[in-house]
Amino acid sequence: MGWFGFGKKQDTAAPEDRLQNEIRLSDAQSWSDAFDVGSGSIAGPVVNSETAMKATAVFACVRVLAGAIQSLPLDVKNVNGEPLPHAHNMWKLLNEAPSDLHTSAVFREAFVSDMCTVGDGIALLDRTYGGDTLGVYHVPSNAISVTRQDGRLKYAVPLSSGFEVFDQDDVLHVPFLGMRNNRGLSPIQYARESIGLALSGAEYAGRFFSNGGMIGGYLTFPSKVGEEQAHEIRDYWMRKHQGLANAHKPAVLSEGGEYKNITLSAEDAQLLQQREFQVADICRIFGVPPWMVGAMEKTTSWGTGMEQMFTSFVILTLTPHLTRIEQEITRKIGRGYKVDFDTKGLLRGDTKTRFEAHKSAIGGNQLPGFMTVNEVRAAEGLQPIEGGDGLYRPLTGDSKSPTENTEENGDGQ
């Protein structure tokens, strides 16, 4: 089941052999460049996972999604539902360093970025003979061919020695959305025209301003101008008046010459409005609210306050991706463990709202508590205190004090 050569042969492989095998993965990047050629959009630019990132809205959406997911702690529990201590190897593998090559944050960002552009996040699993996971290694998913053989998925991965085929048990594969022909649906592929418009709009704006805000025009003279003289006048005009540095220099024309501007301004061409629309259109593709990528809208359907809008983002956008990742890790890497992303930190409200909720949870206003003091402290990142593990039950008229009532409940039973 091992694939690196230092998985099943962990006890005998020399350190230099292990490092040499790891370096083999770097060749996959050059393969990915050959595979991901993309295709032209109606607007003109070629759109693929690489060129699409040159559109600022695409880059920002991918950055927001990858950054949010890489920052979330991954809770790991055993078969009995007990959380693993942070010193446990499985917890370290999933939260600190999935391999010797990258930290967990860097691995997750690369993995999620592939999900958002290529349509699939793919990583190879290094195992022992017994099936224990030793490492998780990201590979560019646009270089990998996925086929189905005998009811199982097979992954052809380009290495320095050529293609090597891996079984689905040794591959972590999370699609961006659904599955078609054994691959996830790529937002870049399905939104090619919208992204192409954004790229062409940026190029148009760049050319507009590089020409000093003038796209074209013509010079007129009262008398006939020969071809050679016309070339000289045109070259002189371009040297003196093209580019931002020359944008506002006064023109000097002799022999009764006159310049006629036949172009539209950026505002007349609705360039800015078109570019703003493309930002919102790309945000719709990724499910990211425009305000999170710096596009400030006057109205929004994500909620009326920052807390509501962010909660909507976590529930509607992040949760589907998190669920797919959790299930794939539990199925492939965990094997006896249950993993869940901890989103409580993202869903925490403002201080006043949070404290009022905590007060109600532990039994404020003489109502029965449904959280212990230590559970509330844990939610705030605080250490437990002695006597804080009992649920509060309001007194019913007997002589017991609130303290005695809490202590009697003890462990909350």
Side-chain angles (χ1 to χ4, degrees):
M1 298 188 57
W3 59 274
F4 257 145
F6 61 85
K8 291 190 283 189
K9 303 182 182 67
Q10 179 69 22
D11 296 333
T12 59
E16 58 271 18
D17 294 334
R18 174 173 180 167
L19 180 60
Q20 181 179 0
N21 284 325
E22 287 176 349
I23 293 175
R24 293 172 63 195
L25 273 179
S26 63
D27 297 325
Q29 184 59 56
S30 60
W31 282 91
S32 70
D33 295 337
F35 274 76
D36 193 18
V37 294
S39 57
S41 60
I42 296 175
V46 173
V47 178
N48 56 32
S49 61
E50 187 68 25
T51 60
M53 292 290 280
K54 295 180 181 179
T56 57
V58 174
F59 190 98
C61 287
V62 174
R63 174 183 56 79
V64 167
L65 291 173
I69 293 176
Q70 68 90 355
S71 65
L72 293 175
L74 198 56
D75 292 334
V76 189
K77 299 178 182 178
N78 60 23
V79 291
N80 298 322
E82 300 169 344
L84 296 185
H86 292 188
H88 195 282
N89 289 335
M90 182 57 66
W91 191 94
K92 289 183 176 180
L93 180 77
L94 297 176
N95 286 279
E96 293 182 355
S99 72
D100 295 337
L101 300 179
H102 303 111
T103 64
S104 176
V106 172
F107 169 84
R108 291 190 200 178
E109 284 182 333
F111 191 87
V112 175
S113 294
D114 272 3
M115 285 175 52
C116 294
T117 54
V118 183
D120 304 271
I122 295 180
L124 304 182
L125 305 178
D126 181 34
R127 301 186 190 277
T128 64
Y129 270 123
D132 294 331
T133 303
L134 296 174
V136 188
Y137 295 83
H138 168 261
V139 290
S141 57
N142 51 3
I144 297 176
S145 173
V146 186
T147 58
R148 185 177 298 180
Q149 301 176 18
D150 301 324
R152 297 183 67 81
L153 295 179
K154 302 293 182 178
Y155 298 78
V157 181
L159 299 177
S160 58
S161 57
F163 279 95
E164 188 170 342
V165 179
F166 299 93
D167 183 75
Q168 64 181 33
D169 284 347
D170 293 323
V171 179
L172 196 69
H173 181 187
V174 180
F176 179 85
L177 176 66
M179 291 285 277
R180 178 175 296 178
N181 297 327
N182 307 318
R183 301 299 296 256
L185 302 183
S186 167
I188 301 300
Q189 178 183 356
Y190 283 88
R192 180 185 299 114
E193 300 305 332
S194 182
I195 296 172
L197 278 174
L199 291 172
S200 62
E203 181 180 355
Y204 178 90
R207 293 184 183 277
F208 181 88
F209 289 107
S210 70
N211 288 324
M214 292 182 293
I215 302 173
Y218 60 91
L219 299 172
T220 64
F221 291 87
S223 58
K224 183 178 180 179
V225 177
E227 182 177 354
E228 182 177 352
Q229 187 179 10
H231 283 300
E232 291 179 358
I233 295 173
R234 184 184 300 110
D235 291 342
Y236 167 81
W237 184 269
M238 297 295 286
R239 289 197 311 270
K240 294 295 184 180
H241 299 287
Q242 186 179 36
L244 291 178
N246 300 322
H248 302 291
K249 287 185 177 180
V252 178
L253 297 174
S254 60
E255 304 296 333
E258 183 179 358
Y259 177 78
K260 300 288 187 179
N261 189 352
I262 61 173
T263 62
L264 299 175
S265 67
E267 183 177 359
D268 292 336
Q270 295 185 336
L271 174 63
L272 297 180
Q273 292 89 333
Q274 176 64 29
R275 297 193 69 190
E276 289 175 358
F277 173 79
Q278 291 310 126
V279 171
D281 202 29
I282 290 173
C283 285
R284 276 192 289 270
I285 298 166
F286 290 96
V288 174
W291 64 267
M292 295 190 77
V293 301
M296 305 306 294
E297 295 182 319
K298 295 181 179 179
T299 60
T300 177
S301 59
W302 289 79
T304 56
M306 288 297 294
E307 181 183 348
Q308 290 184 7
M309 290 191 291
F310 199 80
T311 298
S312 297
F313 168 71
V314 172
I315 295 174
L316 299 176
T317 302
L318 282 188
T319 298
H321 296 309
L322 299 180
T323 301
R324 284 191 290 271
I325 297 173
E326 291 167 351
Q327 292 181 352
E328 183 73 350
I329 291 177
T330 299
R331 187 167 73 110
K332 300 284 185 66
I333 300 179
R335 296 198 172 188
Y337 300 101
K338 178 74 166 58
V339 300
D340 294 288
F341 281 103
D342 184 0
T343 60
K344 292 193 296 292
L346 296 179
L347 295 173
R348 288 169 60 175
D350 59 85
T351 303
K352 180 180 179 181
T353 302
R354 226 167 52 243
F355 285 2
E356 288 178 352
H358 291 338
K359 178 181 178 181
S360 175
I362 63 176
N365 299 323
Q366 294 300 304
L367 296 174
F370 58 89
M371 290 182 69
T372 67
V373 171
N374 282 341
E375 287 174 335
V376 170
R377 291 179 63 84
E380 291 294 325
L382 302 174
Q383 294 296 317
I385 60 175
E386 185 177 353
D389 293 322
L391 286 174
Y392 176 75
R393 296 288 184 267
L395 297 177
T396 57
D398 57 20
S399 58
K400 294 178 182 178
S401 68
T403 303
E404 292 172 334
N405 186 270
T406 302
E407 291 176 350
E408 181 180 279
N409 282 280
D411 60 359
Q413 301 298 322

